[in-house]
Amino acid sequence: MSGAEPGPIGRISRFFFWALFGYWSLYVLVAPVTNIDSQMYDIARLSLAMKGGLFTSPYFTSVFQVMWPWTFDAVHLPFFELGWACALPSFCCLAGTCYVVFVMTRARLGADAAWVALVALLSLPCLIYQGTSTKNDIPLLFAGAVWVYGRWRWKHDNRGLHLFWMVFALGFMAGAKTTGVLYAGILALAMLVELRSDPRLALRVAGGLACSALLLGSLETYVESARLFGHPLGPPEVIGQLSNPDGARGAAANFSRYVAGSLYEGPTTTHSASRAADAVASAEQRFLAATGLTNAGYDHRFGDGTLMFFQSGLEELSGFGPMGTLAMLTTLAACVAWRPKAVWWQLAAAATAGFALVSLNVGYSAWGNRYLISWYALGTLALVCLLWERETPARTILRKGFAALAIAGAVAAPLLSFNRGPGSILASLRDRERFETCSYPLIGKVRDRLRALRRETPGSTVYYVACNDSLVLPIAEDASLDAVLVTPPGFADLAERGVLRKGDLVIEDYDTRSPLLVKVDEVTAPDIFSGRGTRTQAIYRIR
Amino acid sequence: MEPAPKGIARLLQAARKSENIPYTILGSLALLSVVARLILILR
């Protein structure tokens, strides 16, 4: 085992870790909100809530802006208002997770393993992209890390302070994301079971959990969802659409898709893959057909007919690279090798349970890799433990190979992303407005065109008839447009009340087929998701 | 002998210790979240 001071592997890994940490820090400080989901709801709803609050707000245009818990999304408010460092909360979560991993790994396996483990985490593309975005997935990993860290320190010095932070972490986890409620519930139960020999302490912890849920659990979004949709989790049809509808069959199918999706065959785009990646997807389709699991477990909007495993460099559509393949293999090894006393096995078994939970609860979609970041991180750390927990000649060689792969992956992660390479830092400074819509350039071009058309008819109002999946943030935040965002019923109501005036501008993501509308222009822009490579949006005026 | 810090001073002193970094990050994010949510709810 390495000591407190790192050897050559540790020193090299330490250098790359700090170099990349510095790079990502710079990126996080300058990059705007580029994430598609954030422009639809995560951050978009902050902009809308600043106008009309949360309860009974007339400004929300998507059920997702109300139904998802927002404890972590709300953290972005000051950065969003400032216009800089919007992804800093996620990066703080990543940094905090790295600290926990480093301290606990160094204490158990030495400095070499600790530094290599950190670089290995940075080599998981989806994890580092989430850690430098405005999405709400990485806080689950961070809250889990704080919980583990608190428990570890509590075991060492028995101070109640650590129990306080464990409880606090679970409240934060539950409020950050709906799936966090499930994980927080499981960890809370584990805590109470562990404390059962001290009922008074267990009771205090239970009380703390209740307070933590009240303070950090985003209860207000559940209350508003229940009022609007009759269900605290959101419209039942939407919940059903996003969940695994097929129980154990769906879970088995999803797990097999996650295993196949972990195999790395090189980068892909967001709509096409290499022949090797296509071959893996075809093999998985045949496996699912042979086992009678075709289309089982899917988010209703997707199906096995278009199954593809992405390594695209986009935060939601990226896999976990070659390190992810090794992490998954280590995770699966826990299913066939019974080593309950080995730390690597415990981590791998926890990762397996995590993959199984996601498979059971979340409907499969190509956009779902971000649900897996915690489990890939655990699988990666399991492999570090497997390599470092005993000294053998073979392990000495494998450690070097592992460290080299981790460094190569960590360096490649920004370079293989279309919006996180060094050029993106320059673009954030020089061409910020265009870079903001780099994931979906059409909305940026539409915004430019609307500005020009509005200049032609001063005093006209811009209406955006938005659907659940509309990217409303770039339009809502443009002061020169001062756009009115409405849902189709809201738009119909405005028409009926005679609020719409001749010459007003309208864009719509629904086809309302309103006889009031006359097309005045059509904007086409590059589109990374479309097979055609472009996407078009019509702009109308009120006749 | 210097008196032991109390209240916020004690909290800040604890937050600066490196072993408490994860707690400091979590506490800061949670505090921001509570304040921001209050602002947003009360708009």
Side-chain angles (χ1 to χ4, degrees), chain A residues 46 49-50 53-54 70-71 74-75 92 96 99-100 142 149-150 153 162 165 168-169 215 220, chain B residues 18-27 29-34 36-37 39-43:
Chain A
L46 303 185
M50 281 300 277
L54 170 69
W70 69 345
T71 294
V75 176
C92 286
Y99 181 88
V100 170
F142 172 59
Y149 181 68
R153 289 189 66 191
H162 304 307
W165 284 109
F168 208 72
L215 188 68
E220 62 274 16
Chain B
S18 70
E19 73 226 36
N20 290 335
I21 283 174
Y23 298 159
T24 305
I25 293 174
L26 179 63
L29 294 177
L31 183 64
L32 269 180
S33 174
V34 170
R37 282 157 59 212
I39 291 170
L40 293 171
I41 289 169
L42 297 175
R43 294 296 286 190

Side-chain angles (χ1 to χ4, degrees), chain A residues 72 85 92 126 139 157 197 207 221 228 232 251 265 269 290 345 398-399 411 450 491 504 515 522 542:
Chain A
F72 186 68
C92 286
C126 193
D157 62 21
S197 58
T221 53
L228 284 178
E265 310 90 12
T269 70
W345 190 92
L398 287 173
R399 286 173 190 173
V411 172
L450 282 172
F491 188 67
D504 283 346
E522 203 167 64
I542 302 291

Side-chain angles (χ1 to χ4, degrees), chain A residues 55-107:
Chain A
F55 297 110
T56 62
S57 169
Y59 294 98
F60 292 133
T61 55
S62 163
V63 296
F64 302 132
Q65 290 160 1
V66 179
M67 66 184 271
W68 298 134
W70 69 345
T71 294
F72 186 68
D73 290 344
V75 176
H76 297 81
L77 183 64
F79 306 102
F80 173 65
E81 290 292 314
L82 183 69
W84 295 93
C86 296
L88 194 58
S90 291
F91 195 66
C92 286
C93 289
L94 180 72
T97 305
C98 285
Y99 181 88
V100 170
V101 167
F102 180 79
V103 169
M104 293 183 68
T105 310
R106 187 178 59 177

Side-chain angles (χ1 to χ4, degrees), chain A residues 441-526:
Chain A
L442 180 61
I443 198 71
K445 278 193 85 172
V446 168
R447 180 175 59 187
D448 292 343
R449 191 68 192 117
L450 282 172
R451 285 173 185 161
L453 287 168
R454 193 159 186 246
R455 275 196 298 273
E456 287 172 15
T457 48
S460 60
T461 304
V462 175
Y463 293 97
Y464 186 175
V465 187
C467 69
N468 274 340
D469 293 333
S470 293
L471 275 75
V472 293
L473 186 64
I475 301 291
E477 272 299 291
D478 192 312
S480 69
L481 287 180
D482 195 20
V484 177
L485 273 59
V486 286
T487 56
F491 188 67
D493 182 53
L494 292 175
E496 199 175 300
R497 288 193 285 124
V499 175
L500 306 176
R501 291 168 303 167
K502 187 179 177 187
D504 283 346
L505 292 154
V506 180
I507 53 169
E508 53 173 17
D509 284 343
Y510 278 103
D511 186 2
T512 57
R513 297 175 193 275
S514 168
L516 290 171
L517 302 181
V518 56
K519 190 191 284 186
V520 292
D521 203 352
E522 203 167 64
V523 178
T524 299

